[in-house]
Amino acid sequence: MAQLLGKLPLQFTSKQAAEDMALAAFNRALKLSGPGLQVMGVGFTGSLASARPKHGDHRFYVSTRTQNCLRTSHVTLSKGLRSREEEDKVSSCFVLKAIADACRISATIQSDVQEPEIPKESVEQFDEDQELQQVIDGQVCMKVYHFADPTEKNFDRKLILPGSFNPLHDGHLRLLEVASSMCDDGFPCFEISAINADKPPLSIAEIKRRVEQFRKAGKNVIISNQPYFYKKAELFPGSAFIIGADTAARLVNPKYYGGDYNRMLEILLECKSTGTTFLVGGREIEGVFKVLEELNIPTELKDMFISIPEEKFRIDISSTELRKKQGL
């Protein structure tokens, strides 16, 4: 339990413990799920009949967590009415019914509870602002906006173009398009971290303003809370990240790892072990346009980096320059 929640609950059989378990399961599901799928976390904790008589109530809590809803049921069973197997069956039926309710499908499962055992239920709905605040606070690891047209194609992994997108421009759209043609097993999406390494977190209003650009463009975007690539690799295991040559140069520069070359190697090899790859587009570095082949990538990491040929993509445009032109 401590490993799952990152803490020991004050009480193992409690509403809070079930809800914490459901949230932990929801975050794990977000990381493990296939691209574009809806996910749910389920938590169950109970104190049921056992070989030795219990002083306290026989009771259980079941909680389900989706992107915008937390539902919890609490049932106190009549003591001595059922065997352990029968209490297991009643509580299992409640878990199945809770999953059905969260999926908004009718459940025909009979839970066989008696009159005094009517469950106490609570439902908490979250609006978009609350969902984003939970990402900023680190409660939830990401929020996914599906704006692209649905596709029947099955994708093996995510193809992610991270950035601030302030503003989103044609260069970004073209880069994702070119990368998608090179990596056709990847589910294409943009990603914005609400948390910055050296600046305050983005406000909810600012996140929504940037998300609106993707809605208008009909492109998927993920809001996460991980500004560092090694953390993004944990969050999106097996993904291919689209980056510029300038970012690739920083990734392998020991300067950003406290000057420790071995530390840099250790972190990036850990990313490699999760199946992470980088598609690298040419970018200006100190006024000179450079491509992957001109960078000094350590031998152990070379197969993580794939070059996007200059003839396929080169647009000398940046969000910073666009903001300056717009007087922002």
Side-chain angles (χ1 to χ4, degrees):
M1 182 73 90
Q3 188 177 35
L4 174 71
L5 304 182
K7 63 182 180 182
L8 274 176
L10 293 174
Q11 194 174 3
F12 281 84
T13 304
S14 64
K15 181 173 184 281
Q16 188 64 55
E19 290 178 353
D20 287 348
M21 291 166 77
L23 180 60
F26 174 67
N27 276 313
R28 186 163 183 265
L30 282 171
K31 295 174 188 177
L32 295 177
S33 69
L37 297 178
Q38 298 293 319
V39 301
M40 178 198 312
V42 183
F44 175 91
T45 178
S47 178
L48 305 181
S50 60
R52 285 180 285 182
K54 282 192 165 70
H55 295 297
D57 292 331
H58 294 193
R59 67 197 190 280
F60 63 83
Y61 297 83
V62 57
S63 183
T64 58
R65 172 64 199 247
T66 58
Q67 189 73 56
N68 63 358
C69 188
L70 173 67
R71 297 167 181 262
T72 308
S73 297
H74 166 215
V75 177
T76 301
L77 299 167
S78 299
K79 234 173 170 178
L81 185 64
R82 301 176 183 84
S83 66
R84 170 57 184 248
E85 289 75 15
E86 289 167 334
E87 288 193 356
D88 271 340
K89 186 176 179 183
V90 170
S91 55
S92 296
C93 285
F94 258 89
V95 173
L96 292 173
K97 184 178 181 303
I99 293 170
D101 288 345
C103 292
R104 296 177 184 169
I105 57 172
S106 57
T108 56
I109 305 152
Q110 299 300 315
S111 58
D112 189 33
V113 292
Q114 306 299 314
E115 187 65 39
E117 300 174 326
I118 302 302
K120 295 175 182 173
E121 298 187 338
S122 65
V123 179
E124 189 177 357
Q125 298 280 356
F126 307 114
D127 61 24
E128 184 183 4
D129 285 15
Q130 290 170 312
E131 290 174 38
L132 290 171
Q133 191 61 55
Q134 288 164 1
V135 174
I136 293 167
D137 294 343
Q139 275 185 282
V140 174
C141 61
M142 71 181 92
K143 176 171 171 56
V144 184
Y145 289 90
H146 296 286
F147 295 136
D149 293 332
T151 175
E152 292 182 6
K153 182 177 177 181
N154 290 321
F155 294 99
D156 295 328
R157 56 180 177 162
K158 294 184 180 78
L159 177 63
I160 301 172
L161 176 50
S164 57
F165 307 110
N166 184 29
L168 174 68
H169 56 67
D170 287 343
H172 297 133
L173 299 172
R174 176 69 184 141
L175 180 55
L176 187 62
E177 188 181 310
V178 169
S180 297
S181 71
M182 295 175 59
C183 182
D184 61 2
D185 66 338
F187 177 76
C189 49
F190 295 88
E191 183 255 351
I192 299 172
S193 175
I195 306 299
N196 290 297
D198 47 11
K199 298 176 190 172
L202 297 177
S203 67
I204 290 170
E206 180 59 24
I207 294 170
K208 288 168 79 172
R209 184 187 70 78
R210 296 189 196 184
V211 165
E212 180 62 15
Q213 302 174 108
F214 297 94
R215 187 190 66 75
K216 288 177 179 174
K219 301 296 180 185
N220 300 317
V221 62
I222 299 170
I223 306 302
S224 82
N225 50 24
Q226 297 297 350
Y228 299 108
F229 271 101
Y230 74 96
K231 288 292 186 181
K232 291 185 197 291
E234 288 176 17
L235 195 56
F236 308 110
S239 295
F241 293 95
I242 307 157
I243 59 175
D246 53 341
T247 301
R250 287 196 297 273
L251 266 178
V252 297
N253 188 339
K255 169 186 166 184
Y256 297 98
Y257 302 83
D260 188 335
Y261 179 88
N262 290 328
R263 175 71 178 144
M264 175 272 291
L265 213 54
E266 180 189 343
I267 287 173
L268 291 179
L269 285 172
E270 184 65 32
C271 294
K272 184 178 177 179
S273 73
T274 69
T276 299
T277 54
F278 297 100
L279 274 71
V280 183
R283 283 293 296 269
E284 278 197 8
I285 301 177
E286 297 175 354
V288 179
F289 188 86
K290 291 205 172 183
V291 293
L292 174 64
E293 290 75 11
E294 298 174 79
L295 304 181
N296 186 20
I297 306 292
T299 306
E300 302 95 320
L301 305 174
K302 278 196 172 177
D303 54 352
M304 285 179 76
F305 294 84
I306 301 159
S307 181
I308 299 173
E310 186 178 350
E311 61 270 20
K312 280 196 174 185
F313 178 81
R314 175 170 179 171
I315 298 178
D316 298 329
I317 184 174
S318 75
S319 295
T320 304
E321 287 167 8
L322 284 175
R323 284 198 304 274
K324 283 178 182 174
K325 286 177 185 176
Q326 293 166 2
L328 298 174

